[in-house]
C-alpha cells in the first residue's frame, strides 16, 4: 500500500452539522459527482437523477440530514461558505417546486421524496456509508457512480483510492505512533514540529499557520454562538439547548457581546475545580448544540465529536498559563497527527467502529495536543493519547432517532474531561513504565470495532436508540 499522506486540513475541516460522515461526506460526494459530470461534459445533458442511500446512511440519514446535504451539494453549494441560515429556505424551495438546479446551472425535475431513496435493508460491502447517483441523460443513456463516506468527511469514489488523501511525498512519513516517535527521536523535534515539516510539503509554514488559526476562529465563533443560543434542537426529539443557560448561570446573568470580553470574564471567575468542570461541559455542549442545529462547525475529527477539541482548547486558553497563537497551532498539529494515525490504524467512522471511533479518537487527539502545549514530552503526549482511548474502548454508537443529540452532545463533555484527565495523568507519569502503547490501543480499538455488533455502529438499531424510541416526522 502506498503511504497515505493526511494533512491537518484533512482532519480539521470547516463544514455544517450534524455529521461528518452522514452530512459533510455526502455533501462532498454530491460535489465530486458534479465535477465528474462536468469533466465528461455531461452536466447539461442530465435529464433525471436518483440518489440511493445504503447501510448506515439509509438507517440514520434522515436524522443526520443526509438528504439535505445531498440536495445542497447537487445545487452547487459549498459546506464551507454556504449561509446555514438559508438551508431551510433552499430545501423547502426544492421540495415544493420539485426542481433542482444542478451546480446552480442546469435545472432538472427532482422530487426529494421519491428521488432520494433510503434503502434500509441494503448495504454495499466496502463500507456501511454508501451512496449511488443514478443518471439518465437526455439521449436516454444511463450510468451510475457510487461514493463512500468513510468518516470525518473523507469520501472515496468506488474504484479509486481515498479521495481526500493525496500521494504527496512527506519528509517524515507516519503510519503508526512508533513512526512518529522514531522521527521525533531522530530529529529532536517535537510532535508538532515534525507535523509542520510534513505540512511544508503541501504549502508554506505561514499558510499552514494561517489556515490553522482560521480553523480556530471558526471553533471560537461556534463556541460563542452556542453559548448564546436558546431554544430546542431540530429533529423531533425536542431536546432543550443547555449551554446558554449554563453560560448565563456561571456568569451570574452577565451578558458579553464579544468573544474576548466573554472569555476574560470567565477567566476572572477563578479556578475552583467545579467552576472549571462546569465550563468545560458548557464549552462542549455549546459546540455540539450548534452541530445538532445544522450550524457551522469544524470536524475534529468528526462532527459528532466536534466539541471535544474546542472544549479542551478553551480549557487551556481560559484556565491554563501560557496561551498564545503558537500554542494553538502546536495543539492542532499534534492532535491532527493522532487523528490521522487512528484513521490509518483503525477508523474514525462510527459506522465502522462505534462511538470509540468518534468521541474516543477526538479525546485521544485532544489529550496529546494538550500534553504538548502543557510542556509534556513526545512520549508523554502519546501516552496521554493512549490513556484517553483506553477508556473509550468499546463505546457504542446508538443515537436516539438517528439524531446527533442523545447521547452525542453530552458525550462530548465526557470526551473532553477524559482528555484533560489523561493529559494530566501522562504529565505526572514516566512513559518508561507504561504497559500499553498507543499503537497497541489502536489495534485493540480496531479489534473491538470488528467484533462490535452492527447494531451499535450508527444504525440506531441498538442501545439507547431502541430503549427510547422516537417516531420522526417524514419531513
Ligand atoms: S453516539 Fe457517538 S458516534 Fe454515534 S452519532 Fe453520537 S457522537 Fe457520533
Amino acid at each position: 500500500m502506498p503511504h497515505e499522506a493526511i494533512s491537518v486540513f484533512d482532519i480539521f475541516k470547516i463544514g455544517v452539522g450534524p455529521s461528518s460522515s452522514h452530512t459533510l461526506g455526502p455533501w462532498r460526494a454530491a460535489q465530486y459527482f458534479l465535477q465528474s459530470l462536468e469533466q465528461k461534459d455531461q452536466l447539461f445533458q442530465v435529464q433525471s437523477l436518483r440518489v440511493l442511500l445504503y447501510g448506515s446512511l439509509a438507517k440514520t440519514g434522515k436524522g443526520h440530514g443526509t438528504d439535505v446535504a445531498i440536495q445542497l451539494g447537487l445545487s452547487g453549494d459549498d459546506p464551507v461558505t454556504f449561509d446555514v441560515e438559508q438551508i431551510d429556505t433552499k430545501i423547502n424551495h426544492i421540495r415544493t417546486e420539485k426542481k433542482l438546479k444542478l451546480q446552480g446551472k442546469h435545472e432538472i425535475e427532482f422530487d426529494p421524496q421519491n428521488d432520494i431513496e433510503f434503502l434500509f435493508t441494503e448495504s454495499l460491502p466496502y463500507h456501511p456509508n454508501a451512496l449511488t447517483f443514478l443518471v439518465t441523460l437526455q439521449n436516454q443513456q444511463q450510468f451510475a457512480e457510487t461514493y463512500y463516506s468513510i468518516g470525518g468527511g473523507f469520501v472515496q469514489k468506488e474504484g479509486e483510492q481515498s479521495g481526500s488523501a493525496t500521494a504527496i511525498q512527506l519528509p517524515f512519513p507516519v503510519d503508526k505512533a512508533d513512526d512518529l516517535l522514531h522521527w521525533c527521536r531522530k530529529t529532536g523535534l517535537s510532535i508538532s514540529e515534525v507535523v509542520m515539516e510534513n505540512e511544508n510539503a503541501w504549502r508554506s509554514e505561514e499558510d499552514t499557520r494561517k489556515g490553522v488559526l482560521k480553523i480556530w476562529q471558526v471553533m471560537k465563533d461556534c463556541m460563542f454562538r452556542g453559548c448564546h443560543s436558546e431554544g430546542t434542537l431540530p429533529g423531533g426529539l425536542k431536546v432543550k439547548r443547555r449551554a446558554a443557560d449554563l453560560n448565563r448561570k456561571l456568569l451570574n446573568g452577565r451578558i458579553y457581546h464579544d468573544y474576548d470580553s466573554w472569555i476574560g470574564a470567565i477567566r476572572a471567575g477563578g479556578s475552583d475545580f467545579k467552576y472549571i468542570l462546569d465550563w468545560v461541559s458548557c464549552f462542549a455542549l455549546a459546540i455540539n448544540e450548534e452541530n445538532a442545529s445544522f450550524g457551522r462547525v469544524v470536524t475534529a475529527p468528526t462532527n459528532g465529536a466536534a466539541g471535544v477539541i474546542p472544549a479542551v482548547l478553551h480549557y487551556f486558553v481560559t484556565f491554563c498559563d501560557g496561551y498564545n497563537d503558537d500554542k494553538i497551532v502546536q495543539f492542532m498539529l499534534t492532535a491532527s497527527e493522532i487523528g490521522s494515525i487512528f484513521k490509518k490504524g483503525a477508523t474514525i467512522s462510527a459506522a465502522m467502529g462505534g462511538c470509540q471511533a468518534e468521541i474516543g479518537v477526538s479525546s485521544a487527539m485532544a489529550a496529546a495536543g494538550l500534553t504538548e502545549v502543557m510542556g509534556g514530552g513526545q512520549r508523554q503526549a502519546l501516552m496521554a493519547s493512549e490513556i484517553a482511548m483506553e477508556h473509550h474502548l468499546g463505546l457504542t454508537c446508538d443515537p436516539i432517532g438517528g439524531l446527533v443529540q442523545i447521547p452525542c452532545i453530552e458525550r462530548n463533555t465526557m470526551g473532553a474531561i477524559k482528555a484533560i484527565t489523561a493529559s494530566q495523568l501522562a504529565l505526572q507519569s514516566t512513559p518508561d513504565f507504561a504497559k500499553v502503547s498507543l499503537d497497541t490501543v489502536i489495534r485493540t480499538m480496531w479489534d473491538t470495532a470488528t467484533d462490535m455488533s452492527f447494531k451499535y455502529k450508527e444504525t440506531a438499531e441498538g442501545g439507547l436508540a431502541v430503549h427510547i424510541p422516537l417516531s420522526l416526522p417524514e419531513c
Side-chain angles (χ1 to χ4, degrees):
M1 281 285 290
H3 171 73
E4 186 184 10
I6 298 177
S7 160
V8 60
F9 300 116
D10 293 321
I11 296 290
F12 295 115
K13 294 186 282 287
I14 299 168
V16 175
S19 167
S20 46
S21 56
H22 287 55
T23 319
L24 182 60
W27 192 323
R28 288 283 181 222
Q31 290 180 301
Y32 296 146
F33 167 65
L34 289 182
Q35 282 168 17
S36 163
L37 283 177
E38 286 198 312
Q39 277 159 11
K40 292 187 275 187
D41 249 345
Q42 289 175 327
L43 183 77
F44 290 97
Q45 296 170 36
V46 175
Q47 184 180 72
S48 64
L49 173 63
R50 283 175 65 225
V51 187
L52 308 180
L53 302 177
Y54 299 91
S56 175
L57 284 190
K59 288 180 185 192
T60 56
K62 271 276 179 209
H64 288 66
T66 305
D67 47 347
V68 171
I70 288 168
Q71 291 170 70
L72 294 171
L74 289 173
S75 301
D77 297 312
D78 190 89
V80 177
T81 53
F82 187 70
D83 178 0
V84 292
E85 303 293 328
Q86 296 303 314
I87 291 178
D88 283 351
T89 311
K90 184 132 196 181
I91 292 301
N92 286 338
H93 183 76
I94 296 171
R95 192 175 58 224
T96 48
E97 296 298 314
K98 296 189 172 42
K99 286 187 184 356
L100 187 148
K101 215 177 234 186
L102 284 178
Q103 194 70 301
K105 299 174 185 168
H106 174 57
E107 191 164 82
I108 57 168
E109 303 287 329
F110 190 84
D111 178 3
Q113 199 73 15
N114 298 321
D115 292 325
I116 300 181
E117 218 174 317
F118 292 78
L119 302 171
F120 296 103
T121 56
E122 290 183 39
S123 310
L124 299 188
Y126 177 70
H127 194 282
N129 294 334
L131 65 164
T132 297
F133 297 94
L134 282 175
V135 186
T136 303
L137 299 177
Q138 283 153 359
N139 63 8
Q140 301 310 304
Q141 186 195 333
Q142 294 185 318
F143 66 91
E145 285 190 7
T146 294
Y147 293 80
Y148 299 96
S149 177
I150 57 175
F154 287 83
V155 171
Q156 196 167 334
K157 186 175 176 183
E158 189 161 70
E160 289 182 3
Q161 288 286 323
S162 180
S164 301
T166 51
I168 202 161
Q169 186 61 45
L170 302 182
F172 303 125
V174 173
D175 288 322
K176 297 178 172 183
D178 267 356
D179 301 334
L180 181 57
L181 202 52
H182 163 78
W183 294 122
C184 290
R185 281 193 177 122
K186 193 165 177 184
T187 59
L189 298 175
S190 65
I191 293 177
S192 63
E193 287 168 337
V194 167
V195 181
M196 184 61 97
E197 290 296 324
N198 281 342
E199 293 297 322
N200 289 343
W202 278 283
R203 67 196 85 76
S204 71
E205 185 165 328
E206 196 192 338
D207 284 349
T208 298
R209 270 182 61 84
K210 267 194 212 150
V212 169
L213 292 175
K214 183 173 172 205
I215 298 269
W216 170 229
Q217 186 61 47
V218 175
M219 287 178 172
K220 290 198 290 184
D221 292 344
C222 182
M223 181 74 74
F224 189 70
R225 245 183 2 257
C227 281
H228 296 85
S229 300
E230 317 258 356
T232 50
L233 298 173
L237 253 182
K238 297 193 172 54
V239 172
K240 187 177 175 324
R241 294 179 75 135
R242 282 182 288 174
D245 278 351
L246 188 50
N247 174 69
R248 198 178 318 102
K249 199 167 155 189
L250 292 171
L251 290 174
N252 296 317
R254 293 189 305 275
I255 299 291
Y256 296 87
H257 295 287
D258 68 280
Y259 174 87
D260 289 334
S261 48
W262 174 65
I263 286 290
I266 299 171
R267 208 176 272 138
S271 55
D272 176 71
F273 179 71
K274 281 186 285 179
Y275 178 74
I276 293 176
L277 198 55
D278 280 342
W279 272 114
V280 173
S281 294
C282 185
F283 294 148
L285 293 176
I287 294 275
N288 287 84
E289 287 172 359
E290 279 298 291
N291 182 59
S293 311
F294 290 81
R296 171 136 297 121
V297 295
V298 175
T299 63
T302 64
N303 277 35
V308 173
I309 284 174
V312 174
L313 260 171
H314 274 82
Y315 158 76
F316 173 63
V317 165
T318 316
F319 298 111
C320 303
D321 295 330
Y323 150 65
N324 56 36
D325 281 353
D326 288 345
K327 296 270 186 182
I328 298 296
V329 174
Q330 276 178 34
F331 185 116
M332 301 278 273
L333 293 180
T334 298
S336 77
E337 190 63 54
I338 299 298
S340 79
I341 292 172
F342 270 99
K343 182 179 180 297
K344 291 170 191 172
T347 179
I348 56 170
S349 163
M352 294 287 274
C355 199
Q356 56 176 355
E358 289 207 17
I359 297 289
V361 172
S362 64
S363 188
M365 291 166 65
L370 181 63
T371 304
E372 177 164 327
V373 296
M374 293 291 279
Q378 301 94 330
R379 292 172 69 213
Q380 283 174 311
L382 298 181
M383 185 182 183
S385 185
E386 182 283 313
I387 295 171
M389 174 49 78
E390 188 177 314
H391 304 290
H392 281 97
L393 286 174
L395 190 64
T396 59
C397 170
D398 55 354
I400 296 176
L403 297 162
V404 193
Q405 297 180 12
I406 304 174
C408 320
I409 296 172
E410 276 180 6
R411 198 162 274 180
N412 278 262
T413 68
M414 300 299 146
I417 293 298
K418 279 194 200 176
I420 295 168
T421 308
S423 170
Q424 206 51 39
L425 260 178
L427 286 166
Q428 298 291 358
S429 304
T430 310
D432 290 341
F433 302 120
K435 298 283 184 205
V436 185
S437 70
L438 179 54
D439 285 328
T440 302
V441 91
I442 292 173
R443 269 198 309 279
T444 309
M445 178 198 148
W446 181 240
D447 289 347
T448 309
T450 52
D451 288 342
M452 194 182 276
S453 162
F454 76 94
K455 287 192 294 185
Y456 302 112
K457 297 182 184 178
E458 215 164 5
T459 58
E461 291 183 353
L464 282 175
V466 293
H467 287 289
I468 306 185
L470 166 80
S471 304
L472 283 172
E474 278 305 300
C475 57

